[in-house]
Amino acid sequence: AQSVTQPDIHITVSEGASLELRCNYSYGATPYLFWYVQSPGQGLQLLLKYFSGDTLVQGIKGFEAEFKRSQSSFNLRKPSVHWSDAAEYFCAVEGGKLIFGQGTELSVKP
Amino acid sequence: EAGVAQSPRYKIIEKRQSVAFWCNPISGHATLYWYQQILGQGPKLLIQFQNNGVVDDSQLPKDRFSAERLKGVDSTLKIQPAKLEDSAVYLCASSLVSGGLSGELFFGEGSRLTVL
C-alpha cells in the first residue's frame, strides 16, 4: 500500500537560512509526488509536483524538490527562508488517490 | 476565478447531534473530494466524486457519515450521530480530472468541527 512519511514533525529555522523538509514514500510503481503548504486557517495550496522527467522540480514561492528513486525520497528545499514561509507542509503521493504525510510544521525565527 | 467555497467555517455540537457541511467546487471541476484532517495529522480522503458518481468511499464511516453531490456540482457531507473523535477540519477539494492526471487539487479553507 502506498504511504508517505515525513520524519520531522516540527522544524525551526532562522530567517534567511536554508531549508530542507524530508519526505519518504512507499509506492510500487513510479509515483506522482506533491508538496502542499497550509497556512493557519487556510486550505492547502500546491507548491510543486513531480510526474516524470527531470528529477529536480521547481515550484512556487522559490521552493524546489528533488526526486530520488533510489532513496524513495522527495525532499523539499528552499535556499533562503522568509518569515512568511511559516506554515505546515505536506508531502503527498498519488496512486489512484492522494495520500498525505502527517505534515511538518515550519517555524521561522527572526 | 472563484475558489472552492465551504460552509460553515466553524461548528460546535454535542456528541450524538448531527451536522452538515456544504461545498461548492470551482466551476467546471468534475471531481470533488472530502478530506478529514484531525489535529496533527495529514488530510485523509473520505470520499471522491466524479461528477455525481462516487469513485472512492472506502474510508468513509458509512454508519454515521454520508455525502452526496447532486447535479454534479455542490456537495454536502453529513455526520449523524457525531462522536468525539469526529472533531476535525473537513476539507473539500476539487480538480478538473481525477487523481494525478492534472496533479492539482484546489482546496477550500475547511470546516472546523468540534464535538463536545
Side-chain angles (χ1 to χ4, degrees):
Chain A
Q2 65 205 67
S3 66
V4 177
T5 301
Q6 293 180 247
D8 305 305
I9 295 174
H10 186 234
I11 285 181
T12 300
V13 300
S14 297
E15 191 168 16
S18 63
L19 170 70
E20 182 169 27
L21 301 182
R22 297 183 292 164
C23 171
N24 293 98
Y25 68 89
S26 174
Y27 186 63
T30 299
Y32 294 162
L33 294 161
F34 308 84
W35 275 98
Y36 281 82
V37 62
Q38 185 178 34
S39 298
Q42 303 295 313
L44 282 76
Q45 180 185 22
L46 181 67
L47 283 176
L48 47 79
K49 59 191 177 187
Y50 171 78
F51 286 176
S52 63
D54 193 348
T55 56
L56 185 63
V57 293
Q58 303 296 320
I60 62 171
K61 304 183 181 185
F63 285 91
E64 66 179 26
E66 185 171 13
F67 171 59
K68 293 185 177 180
R69 184 187 301 276
S70 61
Q71 298 177 19
S72 297
S73 69
F74 189 56
N75 294 348
L76 182 71
R77 301 194 294 247
K78 186 170 185 178
S80 178
V81 169
H82 188 263
W83 64 267
S84 61
D85 293 324
E88 187 100 25
Y89 291 81
F90 293 94
C91 182
V93 62
E94 199 280 330
K97 61 185 175 184
L98 202 58
I99 303 295
F100 287 89
Q102 65 267 44
T104 298
E105 183 180 358
L106 173 66
S107 296
V108 181
K109 292 190 299 185
Chain B
E1 178 183 83
V4 176
Q6 291 188 246
S7 68
R9 288 294 311 277
Y10 305 94
K11 189 74 175 179
I12 300 174
I13 61 173
E14 301 279 336
K15 61 182 178 183
R16 291 187 290 273
Q17 288 186 323
S18 64
V19 64
F21 301 112
W22 172 83
C23 173
N24 180 233
I26 292 174
S27 178
H29 280 195
T31 308
L32 185 147
Y33 313 78
W34 282 101
Y35 281 84
Q36 180 192 57
Q37 185 178 18
I38 293 172
L39 186 66
Q41 299 181 20
K44 181 184 81 172
L45 180 67
L46 291 176
I47 189 167
Q48 176 181 341
F49 292 94
Q50 181 76 15
N51 296 310
N52 59 351
V54 175
V55 174
D56 185 343
D57 64 356
S58 57
Q59 297 193 87
L60 186 74
K62 298 179 185 66
D63 58 333
R64 297 182 299 105
F65 286 65
S66 64
E68 60 182 7
R69 189 181 185 196
L70 299 176
K71 300 181 181 179
V73 182
D74 293 6
S75 178
T76 302
L77 176 71
K78 297 180 181 178
I79 307 174
Q80 181 178 14
K83 292 185 175 181
L84 296 177
E85 59 260 36
D86 298 331
S87 294
V89 176
Y90 291 87
L91 295 166
C92 180
S94 68
S95 66
L96 275 172
V97 294
S98 178
L101 294 178
S102 73
E104 183 164 8
L105 272 61
F106 294 83
F107 284 84
E109 293 181 328
S111 295
R112 181 178 297 276
L113 173 66
T114 301
V115 182
L116 302 176

PDB file of all heavy atoms in Angstrom, chain A residues 1 10 14 18-19 21 23 29 33-34 38 45 49-50 55 59 61 63-64 66 70 77 90-92 98 102 106 109:
ATOM      1  N   ALA A   1       0.846  -1.195   0.000  1.00  0.00           N
ATOM      2  CA  ALA A   1       0.000   0.000   0.000  1.00  0.00           C
ATOM      3  C   ALA A   1       0.882   1.246   0.000  1.00  0.00           C
ATOM      4  O   ALA A   1       1.953   1.271   0.585  1.00  0.00           O
ATOM      5  CB  ALA A   1      -0.891   0.013   1.236  1.00  0.00           C
ATOM      6  N   HIS A  10       8.243  18.993  13.532  1.00  0.00           N
ATOM      7  CA  HIS A  10       8.379  20.431  13.672  1.00  0.00           C
ATOM      8  C   HIS A  10       9.838  20.822  13.419  1.00  0.00           C
ATOM      9  O   HIS A  10      10.755  20.161  13.916  1.00  0.00           O
ATOM     10  CB  HIS A  10       7.963  20.878  15.083  1.00  0.00           C
ATOM     11  CG  HIS A  10       7.939  22.354  15.258  1.00  0.00           C
ATOM     12  ND1 HIS A  10       8.635  22.989  16.271  1.00  0.00           N
ATOM     13  CD2 HIS A  10       7.332  23.334  14.539  1.00  0.00           C
ATOM     14  CE1 HIS A  10       8.442  24.302  16.163  1.00  0.00           C
ATOM     15  NE2 HIS A  10       7.658  24.530  15.140  1.00  0.00           N
ATOM     16  N   SER A  14      16.101  29.895  11.073  1.00  0.00           N
ATOM     17  CA  SER A  14      16.227  31.353  11.129  1.00  0.00           C
ATOM     18  C   SER A  14      15.908  31.942   9.766  1.00  0.00           C
ATOM     19  O   SER A  14      16.181  31.316   8.725  1.00  0.00           O
ATOM     20  CB  SER A  14      17.638  31.750  11.552  1.00  0.00           C
ATOM     21  OG  SER A  14      17.905  31.288  12.853  1.00  0.00           O
ATOM     22  N   SER A  18      18.798  28.333   4.973  1.00  0.00           N
ATOM     23  CA  SER A  18      18.260  27.363   4.012  1.00  0.00           C
ATOM     24  C   SER A  18      17.360  26.367   4.733  1.00  0.00           C
ATOM     25  O   SER A  18      17.426  26.190   5.951  1.00  0.00           O
ATOM     26  CB  SER A  18      19.397  26.629   3.305  1.00  0.00           C
ATOM     27  OG  SER A  18      20.146  25.883   4.239  1.00  0.00           O
ATOM     28  N   LEU A  19      16.529  25.707   3.934  1.00  0.00           N
ATOM     29  CA  LEU A  19      15.527  24.792   4.486  1.00  0.00           C
ATOM     30  C   LEU A  19      15.500  23.501   3.686  1.00  0.00           C
ATOM     31  O   LEU A  19      15.594  23.516   2.451  1.00  0.00           O
ATOM     32  CB  LEU A  19      14.146  25.442   4.415  1.00  0.00           C
ATOM     33  CG  LEU A  19      12.938  24.539   4.742  1.00  0.00           C
ATOM     34  CD1 LEU A  19      12.924  24.206   6.225  1.00  0.00           C
ATOM     35  CD2 LEU A  19      11.640  25.217   4.313  1.00  0.00           C
ATOM     36  N   LEU A  21      12.980  19.989   3.958  1.00  0.00           N
ATOM     37  CA  LEU A  21      11.968  19.175   4.610  1.00  0.00           C
ATOM     38  C   LEU A  21      11.982  17.793   3.967  1.00  0.00           C
ATOM     39  O   LEU A  21      11.931  17.666   2.744  1.00  0.00           O
ATOM     40  CB  LEU A  21      10.579  19.811   4.460  1.00  0.00           C
ATOM     41  CG  LEU A  21      10.417  21.216   5.018  1.00  0.00           C
ATOM     42  CD1 LEU A  21       8.979  21.697   4.845  1.00  0.00           C
ATOM     43  CD2 LEU A  21      10.835  21.294   6.476  1.00  0.00           C
ATOM     44  N   CYS A  23      10.860  13.886   3.025  1.00  0.00           N
ATOM     45  CA  CYS A  23       9.673  13.113   2.668  1.00  0.00           C
ATOM     46  C   CYS A  23      10.139  11.779   2.097  1.00  0.00           C
ATOM     47  O   CYS A  23      10.940  11.746   1.158  1.00  0.00           O
ATOM     48  CB  CYS A  23       8.819  13.851   1.652  1.00  0.00           C
ATOM     49  SG  CYS A  23       7.458  12.858   0.964  1.00  0.00           S
ATOM     50  N   ALA A  29       4.943   1.510  -8.019  1.00  0.00           N
ATOM     51  CA  ALA A  29       5.254   1.956  -9.373  1.00  0.00           C
ATOM     52  C   ALA A  29       5.878   3.346  -9.317  1.00  0.00           C
ATOM     53  O   ALA A  29       6.224   3.838  -8.252  1.00  0.00           O
ATOM     54  CB  ALA A  29       3.975   1.970 -10.202  1.00  0.00           C
ATOM     55  N   LEU A  33       4.234  12.680  -7.177  1.00  0.00           N
ATOM     56  CA  LEU A  33       4.567  13.233  -5.867  1.00  0.00           C
ATOM     57  C   LEU A  33       4.258  14.714  -5.817  1.00  0.00           C
ATOM     58  O   LEU A  33       4.429  15.421  -6.819  1.00  0.00           O
ATOM     59  CB  LEU A  33       6.047  12.992  -5.562  1.00  0.00           C
ATOM     60  CG  LEU A  33       6.451  11.522  -5.396  1.00  0.00           C
ATOM     61  CD1 LEU A  33       7.944  11.352  -5.556  1.00  0.00           C
ATOM     62  CD2 LEU A  33       5.982  10.993  -4.054  1.00  0.00           C
ATOM     63  N   PHE A  34       3.845  15.172  -4.653  1.00  0.00           N
ATOM     64  CA  PHE A  34       3.416  16.547  -4.489  1.00  0.00           C
ATOM     65  C   PHE A  34       3.893  17.094  -3.143  1.00  0.00           C
ATOM     66  O   PHE A  34       4.084  16.350  -2.182  1.00  0.00           O
ATOM     67  CB  PHE A  34       1.879  16.647  -4.508  1.00  0.00           C
ATOM     68  CG  PHE A  34       1.228  15.996  -5.692  1.00  0.00           C
ATOM     69  CD1 PHE A  34       0.958  14.635  -5.688  1.00  0.00           C
ATOM     70  CD2 PHE A  34       0.895  16.736  -6.801  1.00  0.00           C
ATOM     71  CE1 PHE A  34       0.354  14.018  -6.776  1.00  0.00           C
ATOM     72  CE2 PHE A  34       0.292  16.135  -7.901  1.00  0.00           C
ATOM     73  CZ  PHE A  34       0.027  14.778  -7.879  1.00  0.00           C
ATOM     74  N   GLN A  38       0.088  24.592   3.942  1.00  0.00           N
ATOM     75  CA  GLN A  38      -1.156  25.009   4.598  1.00  0.00           C
ATOM     76  C   GLN A  38      -0.834  26.068   5.640  1.00  0.00           C
ATOM     77  O   GLN A  38      -0.204  25.779   6.659  1.00  0.00           O
ATOM     78  CB  GLN A  38      -1.837  23.810   5.261  1.00  0.00           C
ATOM     79  CG  GLN A  38      -3.202  24.126   5.857  1.00  0.00           C
ATOM     80  CD  GLN A  38      -3.857  22.888   6.463  1.00  0.00           C
ATOM     81  OE1 GLN A  38      -3.183  22.012   7.006  1.00  0.00           O
ATOM     82  NE2 GLN A  38      -5.185  22.800   6.356  1.00  0.00           N
ATOM     83  N   GLN A  45      -2.394  24.516  -0.408  1.00  0.00           N
ATOM     84  CA  GLN A  45      -2.021  25.073  -1.700  1.00  0.00           C
ATOM     85  C   GLN A  45      -0.876  24.264  -2.282  1.00  0.00           C
ATOM     86  O   GLN A  45       0.095  23.953  -1.572  1.00  0.00           O
ATOM     87  CB  GLN A  45      -1.597  26.540  -1.544  1.00  0.00           C
ATOM     88  CG  GLN A  45      -1.194  27.201  -2.855  1.00  0.00           C
ATOM     89  CD  GLN A  45      -0.661  28.609  -2.666  1.00  0.00           C
ATOM     90  OE1 GLN A  45      -0.202  28.986  -1.594  1.00  0.00           O
ATOM     91  NE2 GLN A  45      -0.720  29.413  -3.720  1.00  0.00           N
ATOM     92  N   LYS A  49       4.985  19.682  -8.037  1.00  0.00           N
ATOM     93  CA  LYS A  49       4.612  18.298  -8.286  1.00  0.00           C
ATOM     94  C   LYS A  49       5.656  17.642  -9.183  1.00  0.00           C
ATOM     95  O   LYS A  49       6.335  18.305  -9.964  1.00  0.00           O
ATOM     96  CB  LYS A  49       3.242  18.219  -8.953  1.00  0.00           C
ATOM     97  CG  LYS A  49       3.170  18.963 -10.287  1.00  0.00           C
ATOM     98  CD  LYS A  49       1.742  19.076 -10.776  1.00  0.00           C
ATOM     99  CE  LYS A  49       1.674  19.878 -12.074  1.00  0.00           C
ATOM    100  NZ  LYS A  49       0.271  20.145 -12.490  1.00  0.00           N
ATOM    101  N   TYR A  50       5.773  16.334  -9.058  1.00  0.00           N
ATOM    102  CA  TYR A  50       6.651  15.545  -9.902  1.00  0.00           C
ATOM    103  C   TYR A  50       5.849  14.416 -10.522  1.00  0.00           C
ATOM    104  O   TYR A  50       5.214  13.626  -9.812  1.00  0.00           O
ATOM    105  CB  TYR A  50       7.822  14.952  -9.101  1.00  0.00           C
ATOM    106  CG  TYR A  50       8.622  13.962  -9.906  1.00  0.00           C
ATOM    107  CD1 TYR A  50       9.544  14.406 -10.849  1.00  0.00           C
ATOM    108  CD2 TYR A  50       8.425  12.597  -9.765  1.00  0.00           C
ATOM    109  CE1 TYR A  50      10.256  13.503 -11.614  1.00  0.00           C
ATOM    110  CE2 TYR A  50       9.133  11.678 -10.527  1.00  0.00           C
ATOM    111  CZ  TYR A  50      10.042  12.139 -11.459  1.00  0.00           C
ATOM    112  OH  TYR A  50      10.738  11.241 -12.223  1.00  0.00           O
ATOM    113  N   THR A  55      14.388  15.222 -12.432  1.00  0.00           N
ATOM    114  CA  THR A  55      14.117  14.865 -11.032  1.00  0.00           C
ATOM    115  C   THR A  55      14.154  16.057 -10.100  1.00  0.00           C
ATOM    116  O   THR A  55      13.775  15.936  -8.938  1.00  0.00           O
ATOM    117  CB  THR A  55      15.127  13.810 -10.552  1.00  0.00           C
ATOM    118  OG1 THR A  55      16.456  14.311 -10.743  1.00  0.00           O
ATOM    119  CG2 THR A  55      14.969  12.515 -11.332  1.00  0.00           C
ATOM    120  N   GLY A  59       9.032  24.952  -7.960  1.00  0.00           N
ATOM    121  CA  GLY A  59       7.663  25.282  -7.609  1.00  0.00           C
ATOM    122  C   GLY A  59       7.483  26.771  -7.381  1.00  0.00           C
ATOM    123  O   GLY A  59       8.338  27.574  -7.738  1.00  0.00           O
ATOM    124  N   LYS A  61       6.911  30.201  -4.992  1.00  0.00           N
ATOM    125  CA  LYS A  61       7.490  30.797  -3.784  1.00  0.00           C
ATOM    126  C   LYS A  61       8.958  30.420  -3.580  1.00  0.00           C
ATOM    127  O   LYS A  61       9.455  30.456  -2.454  1.00  0.00           O
ATOM    128  CB  LYS A  61       6.681  30.414  -2.539  1.00  0.00           C
ATOM    129  CG  LYS A  61       5.208  30.775  -2.619  1.00  0.00           C
ATOM    130  CD  LYS A  61       4.483  30.447  -1.331  1.00  0.00           C
ATOM    131  CE  LYS A  61       3.006  30.799  -1.433  1.00  0.00           C
ATOM    132  NZ  LYS A  61       2.273  30.601  -0.164  1.00  0.00           N
ATOM    133  N   PHE A  63      10.448  27.502  -3.930  1.00  0.00           N
ATOM    134  CA  PHE A  63      10.690  26.145  -3.471  1.00  0.00           C
ATOM    135  C   PHE A  63      11.085  25.230  -4.633  1.00  0.00           C
ATOM    136  O   PHE A  63      10.685  25.435  -5.775  1.00  0.00           O
ATOM    137  CB  PHE A  63       9.438  25.576  -2.792  1.00  0.00           C
ATOM    138  CG  PHE A  63       9.184  26.129  -1.423  1.00  0.00           C
ATOM    139  CD1 PHE A  63       8.382  27.252  -1.244  1.00  0.00           C
ATOM    140  CD2 PHE A  63       9.755  25.542  -0.301  1.00  0.00           C
ATOM    141  CE1 PHE A  63       8.157  27.776   0.017  1.00  0.00           C
ATOM    142  CE2 PHE A  63       9.527  26.044   0.968  1.00  0.00           C
ATOM    143  CZ  PHE A  63       8.729  27.165   1.132  1.00  0.00           C
ATOM    144  N   GLU A  64      11.859  24.210  -4.290  1.00  0.00           N
ATOM    145  CA  GLU A  64      12.196  23.159  -5.223  1.00  0.00           C
ATOM    146  C   GLU A  64      12.207  21.826  -4.492  1.00  0.00           C
ATOM    147  O   GLU A  64      12.276  21.790  -3.258  1.00  0.00           O
ATOM    148  CB  GLU A  64      13.561  23.390  -5.889  1.00  0.00           C
ATOM    149  CG  GLU A  64      14.723  23.320  -4.932  1.00  0.00           C
ATOM    150  CD  GLU A  64      16.066  23.520  -5.629  1.00  0.00           C
ATOM    151  OE1 GLU A  64      16.111  24.173  -6.691  1.00  0.00           O
ATOM    152  OE2 GLU A  64      17.069  23.003  -5.103  1.00  0.00           O
ATOM    153  N   GLU A  66      13.550  17.502  -4.991  1.00  0.00           N
ATOM    154  CA  GLU A  66      14.321  16.546  -5.775  1.00  0.00           C
ATOM    155  C   GLU A  66      13.805  15.142  -5.539  1.00  0.00           C
ATOM    156  O   GLU A  66      13.722  14.686  -4.393  1.00  0.00           O
ATOM    157  CB  GLU A  66      15.803  16.615  -5.441  1.00  0.00           C
ATOM    158  CG  GLU A  66      16.655  15.718  -6.339  1.00  0.00           C
ATOM    159  CD  GLU A  66      18.129  15.940  -6.164  1.00  0.00           C
ATOM    160  OE1 GLU A  66      18.533  16.607  -5.184  1.00  0.00           O
ATOM    161  OE2 GLU A  66      18.898  15.445  -7.006  1.00  0.00           O
ATOM    162  N   SER A  70      16.175   5.976  -5.775  1.00  0.00           N
ATOM    163  CA  SER A  70      16.953   5.000  -5.000  1.00  0.00           C
ATOM    164  C   SER A  70      16.723   5.136  -3.504  1.00  0.00           C
ATOM    165  O   SER A  70      16.879   4.170  -2.751  1.00  0.00           O
ATOM    166  CB  SER A  70      18.446   5.166  -5.309  1.00  0.00           C
ATOM    167  OG  SER A  70      18.883   6.459  -4.941  1.00  0.00           O
ATOM    168  N   ARG A  77      13.108  21.848  -0.679  1.00  0.00           N
ATOM    169  CA  ARG A  77      14.191  22.755  -0.290  1.00  0.00           C
ATOM    170  C   ARG A  77      13.864  24.190  -0.660  1.00  0.00           C
ATOM    171  O   ARG A  77      13.075  24.457  -1.584  1.00  0.00           O
ATOM    172  CB  ARG A  77      15.504  22.347  -0.984  1.00  0.00           C
ATOM    173  CG  ARG A  77      15.959  20.945  -0.668  1.00  0.00           C
ATOM    174  CD  ARG A  77      17.389  20.728  -1.091  1.00  0.00           C
ATOM    175  NE  ARG A  77      17.547  20.797  -2.548  1.00  0.00           N
ATOM    176  CZ  ARG A  77      17.876  19.766  -3.310  1.00  0.00           C
ATOM    177  NH1 ARG A  77      18.034  18.555  -2.771  1.00  0.00           N
ATOM    178  NH2 ARG A  77      18.039  19.908  -4.597  1.00  0.00           N
ATOM    179  N   PHE A  90       2.951  19.575   3.654  1.00  0.00           N
ATOM    180  CA  PHE A  90       2.536  18.193   3.480  1.00  0.00           C
ATOM    181  C   PHE A  90       3.086  17.628   2.178  1.00  0.00           C
ATOM    182  O   PHE A  90       2.934  18.236   1.111  1.00  0.00           O
ATOM    183  CB  PHE A  90       1.013  18.081   3.450  1.00  0.00           C
ATOM    184  CG  PHE A  90       0.348  18.405   4.746  1.00  0.00           C
ATOM    185  CD1 PHE A  90      -0.125  19.692   4.996  1.00  0.00           C
ATOM    186  CD2 PHE A  90       0.193  17.439   5.729  1.00  0.00           C
ATOM    187  CE1 PHE A  90      -0.729  20.004   6.202  1.00  0.00           C
ATOM    188  CE2 PHE A  90      -0.417  17.741   6.929  1.00  0.00           C
ATOM    189  CZ  PHE A  90      -0.879  19.025   7.172  1.00  0.00           C
ATOM    190  N   CYS A  91       3.704  16.473   2.292  1.00  0.00           N
ATOM    191  CA  CYS A  91       4.111  15.706   1.129  1.00  0.00           C
ATOM    192  C   CYS A  91       2.992  14.711   0.811  1.00  0.00           C
ATOM    193  O   CYS A  91       2.309  14.217   1.723  1.00  0.00           O
ATOM    194  CB  CYS A  91       5.412  14.960   1.442  1.00  0.00           C
ATOM    195  SG  CYS A  91       6.094  13.991   0.093  1.00  0.00           S
ATOM    196  N   ALA A  92       2.786  14.418  -0.463  1.00  0.00           N
ATOM    197  CA  ALA A  92       1.706  13.503  -0.838  1.00  0.00           C
ATOM    198  C   ALA A  92       2.114  12.670  -2.035  1.00  0.00           C
ATOM    199  O   ALA A  92       2.897  13.114  -2.885  1.00  0.00           O
ATOM    200  CB  ALA A  92       0.430  14.282  -1.151  1.00  0.00           C
ATOM    201  N   LEU A  98      -4.933  10.481  -3.535  1.00  0.00           N
ATOM    202  CA  LEU A  98      -3.851  11.254  -2.946  1.00  0.00           C
ATOM    203  C   LEU A  98      -3.702  10.875  -1.476  1.00  0.00           C
ATOM    204  O   LEU A  98      -4.657  10.993  -0.700  1.00  0.00           O
ATOM    205  CB  LEU A  98      -4.159  12.744  -3.101  1.00  0.00           C
ATOM    206  CG  LEU A  98      -2.999  13.732  -3.048  1.00  0.00           C
ATOM    207  CD1 LEU A  98      -1.969  13.418  -4.131  1.00  0.00           C
ATOM    208  CD2 LEU A  98      -3.520  15.145  -3.223  1.00  0.00           C
ATOM    209  N   GLN A 102       2.036  13.136   7.414  1.00  0.00           N
ATOM    210  CA  GLN A 102       1.444  13.758   8.605  1.00  0.00           C
ATOM    211  C   GLN A 102       1.789  15.216   8.750  1.00  0.00           C
ATOM    212  O   GLN A 102       1.259  15.901   9.626  1.00  0.00           O
ATOM    213  CB  GLN A 102       1.850  12.983   9.874  1.00  0.00           C
ATOM    214  CG  GLN A 102       3.331  13.038  10.166  1.00  0.00           C
ATOM    215  CD  GLN A 102       4.064  11.852   9.563  1.00  0.00           C
ATOM    216  OE1 GLN A 102       3.851  11.461   8.431  1.00  0.00           O
ATOM    217  NE2 GLN A 102       4.963  11.278  10.345  1.00  0.00           N
ATOM    218  N   LEU A 106       6.643  24.267  10.097  1.00  0.00           N
ATOM    219  CA  LEU A 106       7.829  25.106   9.980  1.00  0.00           C
ATOM    220  C   LEU A 106       7.637  26.404  10.756  1.00  0.00           C
ATOM    221  O   LEU A 106       6.666  27.126  10.523  1.00  0.00           O
ATOM    222  CB  LEU A 106       8.127  25.428   8.520  1.00  0.00           C
ATOM    223  CG  LEU A 106       9.253  26.440   8.279  1.00  0.00           C
ATOM    224  CD1 LEU A 106      10.593  25.873   8.729  1.00  0.00           C
ATOM    225  CD2 LEU A 106       9.311  26.858   6.815  1.00  0.00           C
ATOM    226  N   LYS A 109      12.444  31.846  12.781  1.00  0.00           N
ATOM    227  CA  LYS A 109      12.923  32.791  13.785  1.00  0.00           C
ATOM    228  C   LYS A 109      13.410  34.064  13.112  1.00  0.00           C
ATOM    229  O   LYS A 109      14.051  34.001  12.068  1.00  0.00           O
ATOM    230  CB  LYS A 109      14.090  32.184  14.571  1.00  0.00           C
ATOM    231  CG  LYS A 109      13.731  31.036  15.460  1.00  0.00           C
ATOM    232  CD  LYS A 109      14.887  30.656  16.372  1.00  0.00           C
ATOM    233  CE  LYS A 109      16.100  30.228  15.570  1.00  0.00           C
ATOM    234  NZ  LYS A 109      17.202  29.749  16.456  1.00  0.00           N
TER     235      LYS A 109
END
